């Protein structure tokens, strides 16, 4: 278990072979299957934590060989634990994570375009897919997911004897299982209903986010601001605002970025840092989802109007 992908500028496999600690053993061509990429890699140990690791696709990683001590960070949570054959990691697209491992290891990855889980969420639930998030998990066991990953690895090694439909069916089964068990949808289903947050609690949480928007904000910090457990807080927050805490935080950051861009005093990169995004590309990804235009274009239009 180790690196998911470096912060690629476009597809997850761009510059993959150039990483000194990565040896690609086998992978699908970028356009082999629409929205599905498979890769088997050998990883050398690294000494420093790789922070801010981001996938452009939803990543499912399985540890194949090499017992290692794995260190990782997700949403301000740090852990160090052994990882071995069959252990899994779920890394949703655009979710920052950090990793370090102390020995050579071999991994298999299945990377799926976010549009796939959004389509499946639409077909198999009665909810808006934009409101259903895959939740990151590291170094866990799940027998069904593991079996699907071994089957996908066999398909990669066999040159896809089963054909495209077989791979797409396996990927769909993996995503349905993930949506049921490892998404905000699963989180809501497994928690007591409750009545949502009070107006005072909502105000406290909003004030906390507004005051710390430029920093890393973890679920534990938000829950602690009103003395809730993390899982109960997430459920009640969603009931009250119609968004997950992460979705709300992204919305706040994008809206604040728009205000700063319209003022025209900062570059796009400076705005990204000011509102808590990891870099300009991370801001651009979310900004275009909200406003259907890049922050650079908005800033240029604003400057022209000011002139």
């Amino acid at each position: 278990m180790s690196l998911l992908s470096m912060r690629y500028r476009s597809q997850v496999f761009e510059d993959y072979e150039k990483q000194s600690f990565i040896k690609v053993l086998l992978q699908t061509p970028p356009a082999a299957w629409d929205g599905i990429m498979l890769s088997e890699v050998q990883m050398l140990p690294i000494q420093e934590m790789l922070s801010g690791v981001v996938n452009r696709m939803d990543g499912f990683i399985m540890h194949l060989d090499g017992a290692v001590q794995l260190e990782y960070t997700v949403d301000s949570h740090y852990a160090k634990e052994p990882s071995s054959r069959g252990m899994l990691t779920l890394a949703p697209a655009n979710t920052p994570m950090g990793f370090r491992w102390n020995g050579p290891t071999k991994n298999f990855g299945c990377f799926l375009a976010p549009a796939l889980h959004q389509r499946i969420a639409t077909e198999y639930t009665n909810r808006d897919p934009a409101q259903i998030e895959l939740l990151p998990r590291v170094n866990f066991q799940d027998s069904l997911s593991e079996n699907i990953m071994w089957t996908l690895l066999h398909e990669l090694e066999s040159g896809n004897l089963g054909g495209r439909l077989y791979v797409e069916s396996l990927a769909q089964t993996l995503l349905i299982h993930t949506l049921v068990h490892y998404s905000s949808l699963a989180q809501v289903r497994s928690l007591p209903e409750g009545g949502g947050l009070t107006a005072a609690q909502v105000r406290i949480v909003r004030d906390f986010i507004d005051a710390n928007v430029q920093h890393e904000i973890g679920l534990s910090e938000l829950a602690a601001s009103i003395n809730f457990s993390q899982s109960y807080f997430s459920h009640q927050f969603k009931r009250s605002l119609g968004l997950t805490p992460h979705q709300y935080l992204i919305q706040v950051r994008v809206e604040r970025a728009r205000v700063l861009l319209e003022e025209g005093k900062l570059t796009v990169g400076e705005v990204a840092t000011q509102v808590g995004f990891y870099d300009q590309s991370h801001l651009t990804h979310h900004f275009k989802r909200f406003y259907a235009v890049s922050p650079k274009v908005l800033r240029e239009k604003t400057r022209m109007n000011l002139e």
Side-chain angles (χ1 to χ4, degrees):
M1 188 72 60
S2 50
L3 178 68
L4 304 178
S5 73
M6 296 303 291
R7 189 187 293 267
Y8 295 102
R9 292 182 294 278
S10 57
Q11 296 183 5
V12 74
F13 288 106
E14 183 181 343
D15 296 331
Y16 200 71
E17 297 181 16
K18 297 179 182 179
Q19 305 301 326
S20 60
F21 50 84
I22 299 174
K23 180 181 179 181
V24 178
L25 304 177
L26 196 61
Q27 71 180 41
T28 56
W33 301 302
D34 186 25
I36 303 174
M37 288 183 165
L38 307 178
S39 178
E40 183 180 7
V41 298
Q42 183 75 47
M43 317 291 288
L44 296 177
I46 60 168
Q47 302 304 315
E48 296 183 3
M49 178 75 76
L50 294 171
S51 59
V53 177
V54 174
N55 278 311
R56 299 306 184 194
M57 307 174 83
D58 294 321
F60 299 83
I61 314 298
M62 183 171 68
H63 188 143
L64 300 180
D65 292 307
V68 298
Q69 283 290 324
L70 174 68
E71 295 179 72
Y72 61 88
T73 57
V74 181
D75 284 338
S76 302
H77 171 74
Y78 168 84
K80 180 178 181 180
E81 56 195 29
S83 181
S84 56
R85 183 179 176 86
M87 300 298 283
L88 302 167
T89 284
L90 168 59
N94 300 304
T95 300
M97 307 171 81
F99 295 90
R100 177 167 61 185
W101 57 99
N102 66 348
T105 179
K106 185 188 294 184
N107 294 339
F108 169 65
C110 172
F111 300 93
L112 307 176
L116 291 178
H117 99 245
Q118 293 168 4
R119 174 180 60 80
I120 290 173
T122 299
E123 294 173 352
Y124 288 86
T125 74
N126 59 358
R127 296 174 180 268
D128 179 358
Q131 304 298 320
I132 301 176
E133 291 183 294
L134 301 184
L135 304 177
R137 295 197 65 182
V138 180
N139 205 39
F140 70 101
Q141 292 179 300
D142 182 295
S143 58
L144 178 57
S145 297
E146 182 183 347
N147 288 338
I148 294 173
M149 291 290 284
W150 283 116
T151 305
L152 286 169
L153 174 60
H154 177 71
E155 277 299 294
L156 177 64
E157 294 176 340
S158 70
N160 190 211
L161 291 177
R164 177 177 175 178
L165 181 59
Y166 184 48
V167 170
E168 290 178 344
S169 298
L170 288 169
Q172 177 168 295
T173 301
L174 179 62
L175 275 172
I176 293 172
H177 178 70
T178 301
L179 285 168
V180 171
H181 295 281
Y182 308 117
S183 73
S184 55
L185 176 64
Q187 189 179 61
V188 168
R189 284 177 171 171
S190 64
L191 293 170
E193 286 300 313
L197 304 180
T198 65
Q201 289 169 335
V202 170
R203 185 174 62 254
I204 291 171
V205 174
R206 281 177 165 168
D207 288 347
F208 181 87
I209 290 175
D210 288 342
N212 296 278
V213 69
Q214 75 274 24
H215 303 302
E216 282 292 323
I217 300 177
L219 183 60
S220 59
E221 297 166 300
L222 292 176
S225 70
I226 55 173
N227 298 315
F228 274 26
S229 69
Q230 294 183 38
S231 58
Y232 190 65
F233 169 79
S234 295
H235 178 50
Q236 299 307 320
F237 187 95
K238 178 99 167 28
R239 282 180 61 83
S240 299
L241 280 80
L243 299 171
T244 66
H246 174 70
Q247 290 170 332
Y248 179 77
L249 176 60
I250 293 297
Q251 178 177 290
V252 170
R253 284 174 169 164
V254 169
E255 290 175 351
R256 185 167 298 186
R258 179 184 58 79
V259 172
L260 292 174
L261 289 166
E262 289 177 343
E263 289 177 354
K265 298 178 181 178
L266 302 175
T267 66
V268 176
E270 290 170 337
V271 169
T273 301
Q274 189 79 11
V275 301
F277 285 111
Y278 300 95
D279 57 23
Q280 182 173 327
S281 64
H282 197 205
L283 166 61
T284 300
H285 168 78
H286 290 291
F287 198 90
K288 290 174 72 174
R289 286 199 305 116
F290 278 81
Y291 297 114
V293 65
S294 72
K296 182 178 180 180
V297 169
L298 176 64
R299 185 176 184 277
E300 290 175 350
K301 287 182 177 179
T302 301
R303 291 183 65 185
M304 291 177 61
N305 292 335
L306 291 176
E307 293 173 357

